[in-house]
Amino acid sequence: MSRERTASTGLAVALALGLALPAAAQPAPDTLAAVRERGVVTCGVTPSTLGFAQPDASGVWRGIDVDYCRAVAAAVLGDANKVRFVTPTTATRFAVLQSGEIDILLRTTTWTMGREATLGAAFVGVSMYDGQGFMVKRSSNISTLRQLDGSTICLLPGTTTETITAEYFRGHGMRFTPLAVPTIEALREAFLADRCNVYTLDLSALAAFRASRGAEADQLVLLPDVISKEPLGPAVRQGDWRWFNIVRWTHYAMLTAEELGVTSANADAAAASTNPDVQRLLGRTGDLGQGIGLDNAWAARIVAQVGNYGEVWERNIAPIGIARGVNALWTQGGLHYAPPMR
């Protein structure tokens, strides 16, 4: 048998058995083609976090992560409603992304080097600058992190939160007992049932939980200390760089639209603007859309059907009591900065 035939046979056997292939031998995914054939964009989201991803009373998903998914659908399929949501656990989310079950991971996930280096994820940008915080009950009379020495802390396993908590307490000569709870719903229940006296997660998730408690929200206290950087953002599979560019520039299109003052309410009128940046954003001039495999009206549909970044924030995050702060545009003292669309 020739060497060429032996190599072909080996490759076929490996593919049939689902064995790992060298990176150079693995076929590159074509997510855009799969999405168009399927007719929906499938996104992995957290199952029940107010402001990020949660079905309303009518079963309609709402939240900033939901809106990001809808924005991609508007760009790619022309209809922001052509979406499907999957709710992987913290432990399975990257495997679900790699399997192709979802097209985008939007599950309040922190962008880290380790996740890109070892899990095959490519983060397209930062949709929210966040940080790890701590929640206690008002009745505990705890007001500082130093008072948490010896506490039992509820946390999610397999997250950056778990590692950072251990590093922080060890570095400050403090002790704690971790109570690892596998799902966010069970984590909240454990905290409310006093199985732990401290609940730690990203500040945004803690604020969302407190807001969801309604009249009882005042009984929950967020400590003022923030012990980490948690840049949250959409992730896609490495290797499919056309899809990466589509999701990345969907994010930047929403930021650019806010910077230029283009909103869902004035998008049609803005098409008549003589501002060259507005003209390029809305596809009235140039061929930027074609460069990433879309038509030139892709960003105009995002703004018209979903809104700019500021609209998405005001609709989803402002109601849970989080100020823009570092999530403001760079022109307003924040960190959000979109590369030029030209």
Side-chain angles (χ1 to χ4, degrees), residues 220-304:
L220 304 178
V221 176
L222 279 174
L223 299 183
D225 310 83
V226 180
I227 67 169
S228 73
K229 297 182 294 184
E230 304 294 333
L232 309 180
V236 299
R237 288 179 291 169
Q238 289 183 10
D240 190 348
W241 301 116
R242 178 170 67 171
W243 184 248
F244 173 89
N245 279 332
I246 288 171
V247 180
R248 164 186 269 185
W249 285 99
T250 292
H251 166 57
Y252 286 144
M254 289 193 288
L255 289 176
T256 299
E258 182 182 9
E259 184 177 338
L260 295 173
V262 181
T263 70
S264 57
N266 68 18
D268 290 340
S273 170
T274 58
N275 183 326
D277 290 327
V278 173
Q279 288 285 295
R280 283 189 290 267
L281 170 70
L282 300 179
R284 309 296 291 185
T285 60
D287 292 318
L288 293 177
Q290 294 181 31
I292 57 172
L294 304 177
D295 64 4
N296 290 328
W298 64 281
R301 289 193 298 272
I302 292 172
V303 180

Side-chain angles (χ1 to χ4, degrees), residues 97-108:
L97 176 64
Q98 284 303 313
S99 72
E101 184 179 345
I102 59 176
D103 306 310
I104 311 169
L105 176 63
L106 284 157
R107 198 188 183 283
T108 54

Side-chain angles (χ1 to χ4, degrees), residues 144-185:
T144 70
L145 276 185
R146 296 301 300 180
Q147 293 174 276
L148 299 186
D149 191 14
S151 295
T152 297
I153 301 180
C154 280
L155 45 76
L156 282 171
T159 63
T160 55
T161 299
E162 185 177 31
T163 304
I164 292 168
T165 302
E167 291 176 347
Y168 181 88
F169 275 72
R170 184 169 58 248
H172 288 77
M174 298 164 63
R175 298 170 298 104
F176 78 102
T177 300
L179 180 63
V181 186
T183 68
I184 195 165
E185 297 92 343

Side-chain angles (χ1 to χ4, degrees), residues 120-133:
F123 286 83
V124 305
V126 179
S127 57
M128 183 173 186
Y129 292 94
D130 207 348
Q132 184 180 336

